Amino acid sequence: MADPLAIDVRGMTKRFGGRTAVNQMDLQVQRGEVCGFLGPNGSGKTTFLRMLCGLLRPDAGSGTCLGYDVIGQSEAIQREVGYMTQRFSFWEDLTIAENLDFVARMYAVPDRRRAVREGLERLGLSRRRHQLAGQLSGGWKQRLALAACLIHQPQLLLLDEPTAGVDPKARRDFWEEIHQLAGQGLTFLITTHYMDEAERCHRLAYILDGRLLAHGTATEVIRQARLTTWSVRGPRLPQLAERLRALPGVRQAASFGTTLHVSGDDAAALEQTIAPLRTQEHEWRRIESGLEDVFIHLMDRSGTQGPS
Amino acid sequence: MTRRRAFSPARFWAIVVKEFVQMRRDRLTFGMMIGIPLLQLLLFGYAINSDPKRLPAAVLLADHGPFSRTVLSAMRNSDYFDFVRQLHTEAEADAVLARGAALFVVTVPANFTRDLLRGERPALLVEADATDPAATSNALHSLRTAVDTALAADLQGPLAALAATPGPVELRVHARYNPEGITQYNIVPGLMGVILTLTMILITGLAITRERERGTMENLLAMPTRPSEVLLGKIAPYILVGLIQVGVILLAARILFDVPMAGDLGLLLAATLVFIAANLAVGITFSTVARNQLQAMQMTFFFFLPSMLLSGFMFPFRGMPAWAQVLGEGLPLTHFLRIIRGILLKGNGAAAIAPELWPIALFAVLALTVAVKRYRQTLD
Ligand SMILES: Nc1ncnc2c1ncn2[C@@H]1O[C@H](COP(=O)(O)OP(=O)(O)OP(=O)(O)O)[C@@H](O)[C@H]1O
Ligand SMILES: [Mg+2]
């Protein structure tokens, strides 16, 4: 436990054929931290997680995971890591209890029966223990997967979109559980596409085209983006958005229910642009940029300028 | 992988238990594993077991002497030959056989009676369509006796000397299209080898590819495992399935087909275990090479066909060309056929089968080594 970093890797690179899925990525995650791992589809999140737990061999890069060498000590890492795959990967022709039992055997968990029973109870699976995994609904499958990757009491959890398709109540319970475990010293690296979940993380890592674009607490990430955002309320917002997007200084105009968020990275230019539009018809208000504004901005910027 | 750890029996056992549960759930596959041998046995076995009579025959008669008539009526009386047609040229004979209008063409050469009386042992030519040896073999077997007995009855008094060995006529049998018939007792024990080859390879061939196709491989690989634990764990349950098949086949061989069991059944079981292991090892190797279940299936048949054709199951091994024999020696089935036929029919003991057993064991070890080497511990 001397090493305060659960994950400490540098220059991690993975190429598939000609294309680079993960490009020179550095990442440090403290022990006991819940780190949100964000990025658009195909940005390399899953690939990065797979490299950490030895499922893919990095083309370049070095570092440690739980103090073990990520290149040479995959087996030691695997014993202390719980990896939840993006796609459900448990055995559909085994029951919940049988799946957990199998996993517990594979990790040689001491007092296996108790571990399985506790795993079932913790995620409310006890009543369904004899149900075949293949017959569970999506949300229950996710719970099974989480229960299974906790059963050997790992130090680090790599969760790949663990709450995709899970109802709000279950998601809340899930995050409560995660914070409780983090309080006990477990480390989490969790990919998600949900902003509310991103806000629940201690720190965030934002990845785009295989590169780490932003890393820090939510506030830090927002501040680093230097984004100015205005909210507009009023009639015919879609038409307004259309007009705004063509104007200088406007990086994005996105609808949020009844309001429109207009942002740009040059505050003065943006203010100048919108000045003539600030009529009686619409109510304009300068607001704090949110995570979503920032992420969409990061995504768009790469589209026009390419990754910096 | 710097930290190499020893094989973990616990993880091996975890895989075994999992495979068993999955096998139990997959009723259809399990049913097939028992159903395939039974079905094959019944189909193959009864096709062979039947003793077809009154088979259509044609005759090319170039001699009209009394002995020609004796020979032909002897054949007719044996009940195997039904002369449906009289031919005049050899081209006609070829055509009749090719079309399947007759299964036999009997040629009685010119001067047959005269040559016979002179003691020159004229040749009686019997051409048989042996595409289906089961159909013609019994008829051909009866031929020598039928002809000799009938002639002996005619050759009395001063002619009796002609009836002595080697017989008054030379019987020339040409099995066309298929060099040699397979006898009934050969086939049922042989079938055991063929069935084990097919089902054992197929079932383990799917073992790894199925994990890959269902996406569970990623999960399995994320766990700390050695390839040998996974591979052996997947093989072990099917050894039991193989033994069940062996039981079913032996029982059927005994009850339905009356196959003699001259040798030690314990010895046979031991040898069969090695053979099962070899086939499972081949299957699991295919499984590590194939990208999906379809490919694994294709590879299984790619291996199965030569096994069936070159092992001595379909064709007599010694009748095959040299290159085919060389290939055949490399197949586990070839050696297993010799073992099982040796034990069941000839009552061979351990010493006699040892030279055939070690190649199978070697094959198993080699295949498993390839599998362990080929088994990828990463997804790329
Ligand atoms: N096995 C593979 N072979 C080839 N290319 C791959 C492979 N796995 C991933 N890729 C490519 O690498 C890139 C990154 O994929 P990855 O799955 O890591 O993205 P992701 O961030 O997890 O996306 P998502 O949010 O959709 O899950 C993609 O362009 C993908 O097409
Ligand atoms: Mg992904």
Side-chain angles (χ1 to χ4, degrees), chain A residues 193-245:
Chain A
H193 292 296
Y194 298 122
M195 287 307 127
D196 61 316
E197 292 191 347
E199 278 157 6
R200 286 169 176 265
C201 296
H202 297 134
R203 305 223 299 161
L204 300 173
Y206 186 85
I207 174 180
L208 186 83
D209 288 339
R211 289 169 181 272
L212 190 67
L213 279 197
H215 187 206
T217 63
T219 336
E220 282 166 1
V221 168
I222 292 171
R223 205 176 49 226
Q224 280 164 14
R226 290 183 218 290
L227 198 66
T228 312
T229 304
W230 291 80
S231 106
V232 196
R233 205 180 263 284
R236 291 188 303 282
L237 289 178
Q239 289 86 334
L240 181 64
E242 199 66 34
R243 265 180 70 197
L244 281 165
R245 285 194 190 108

Side-chain angles (χ1 to χ4, degrees), chain B residues 158-180:
Chain B
L159 296 176
L162 292 173
T165 44
V169 297
E170 183 193 343
L171 207 52
R172 259 188 233 157
V173 174
H174 286 184
R176 304 274 301 259
Y177 311 124
N178 181 356
E180 196 179 319

